[in-house]
Amino acid sequence: MGFDALSRLKSAGIATEEYLKEKWERRKSRDILTAKENAAKAEEERLRREKNDFLSLVLAKITGESVIEMPPLEWNPTAVHKAVFLVTIPIEFGIFELSKNSYNLLAKHVGMSLNSVSHWALCVIDRSSSPSYCYDLMSDQLVLNAIGKNYFRVAEITAAFIETWSSCYYVGETPKSHQEIQELGLNHMTLHPRYHLLSSNCQDLVESLVKQLCNGRMISQAKLGEELSLISPRIALDLMVARLRSKIEVLEEHEDSDTVKEDMVVIKKLWRRSHR
C-alpha cells in the first residue's frame, strides 16, 4: 500500500511537471509570436509613415488642376498601379550658344531669360514600399545647335530631387514595372540615337513614354490647344516655347509671320500667369 501510494504520488508529480512545462512552452511560444507580430506592425507603420512623408513631398509640388483626376496618393502595400507625372526642372542655359533667333525673339517680346525653359522628365511614383523612379533623356553635347548622342537616364527619386522640380503635372496611372519602363526608354533611344534640342529631345521621350504607359494619352504640341486647358501655365509655357523654337529654327518662319505672332501672344499670357 505504501509503495503504491508513493508511486502514484511520483507519477502525479511527473505529470504535473510535464503539464507545467508544456504550459510554459505554450506561453513562451505565444509571447514570441506576439513579439514578432508587434515587430511586424511596427515595421509596417514605419514604412507607411516614411512613404506617406515622401508622397506628401510629391503632392506639394503638383501644379494645376490635374490632381483632381488622381486616385489618392498614399501608401498602399498592395497597389498595382503607379502614378505618372510630367516633371519640369530648370535648365541653366548660360553654357549654350546664344545666337538662336527664337531666344532673341523671346527676350525681345516677352522678357524671358534664357534659363526660363525647362528640362522634362517622367516620374513614376510607386504607392507601395518599392522605390519610385525618374526617366529622362540627356545629351553628351551641351550646345544648343549640336547633335549629340542620346543618353537614357534612370534614377531613384529622392526628397532632394523633388525639391528641384519647377512643376509637376499628373498624367495618369500605369501598371507597368520599372523593368518594363526601362525597356521602353531604351527602345526609344534605339530609334532616336542622336539628341537635338529642337527635334529629338527630352520632351519627345516623355511624350513617347506617356503614350505607352497611360493608355495612349498624349502630351503633344500638335494638340497644344487642348493641353493648355489641362496643364499648368509653367508646363504650357514650355510647350509653347518648344513649338516656337521649331517654327523659328526648323521651319525658318519669320518673327512677323501670323503664326509666330499668335504664339507670342499666348507665350506672353502664360509668362505673366506663371510669374504672378
Side-chain angles (χ1 to χ4, degrees), residues 26-166:
R26 286 199 302 267
R27 180 177 178 181
K28 185 179 178 181
S29 297
R30 286 198 302 269
D31 290 345
I32 292 174
L33 180 61
T34 300
K36 288 183 177 179
E37 289 176 347
N38 290 339
K41 289 179 181 178
E43 177 63 11
E44 182 177 296
E45 175 59 22
R46 183 188 68 82
L47 292 174
R48 184 196 67 80
R49 186 172 58 254
E50 287 185 358
K51 192 68 176 190
N52 281 337
D53 287 346
F54 171 82
L55 295 175
S56 68
L57 297 176
V58 177
L59 286 169
K61 285 287 186 175
I62 297 178
T63 49
E65 299 181 354
S66 61
V67 69
I68 296 174
E69 307 172 25
M70 185 178 68
L73 193 64
E74 57 189 27
W75 181 68
N76 181 353
T78 61
V80 175
H81 286 79
K82 307 172 186 69
V84 181
F85 293 91
L86 163 59
V87 166
T88 63
I89 308 161
I91 297 177
E92 295 295 336
F93 274 93
I95 57 178
F96 292 144
E97 293 183 0
L98 306 182
S99 59
K100 290 297 178 179
N101 295 332
S102 58
Y103 289 108
N104 292 335
L105 187 63
L106 291 170
K108 176 181 177 181
H109 293 284
V110 184
M112 289 176 60
S113 62
L114 298 180
N115 62 358
S116 298
V117 183
S118 298
H119 177 68
W120 283 26
L122 197 71
C123 292
V124 178
I125 305 299
D126 198 316
R127 293 178 175 86
S128 74
S129 299
S130 299
S132 299
Y133 291 95
C134 173
Y135 310 89
D136 71 345
L137 202 65
M138 189 53 72
S139 170
D140 60 354
Q141 294 289 331
L142 293 178
V143 181
L144 190 61
N145 60 359
I147 300 179
K149 181 180 178 181
N150 263 339
Y151 285 98
F152 176 59
R153 301 191 304 183
V154 179
E156 183 175 339
I157 299 173
T158 64
F161 178 57
I162 294 174
E163 285 299 314
T164 68
W165 298 355
S166 55

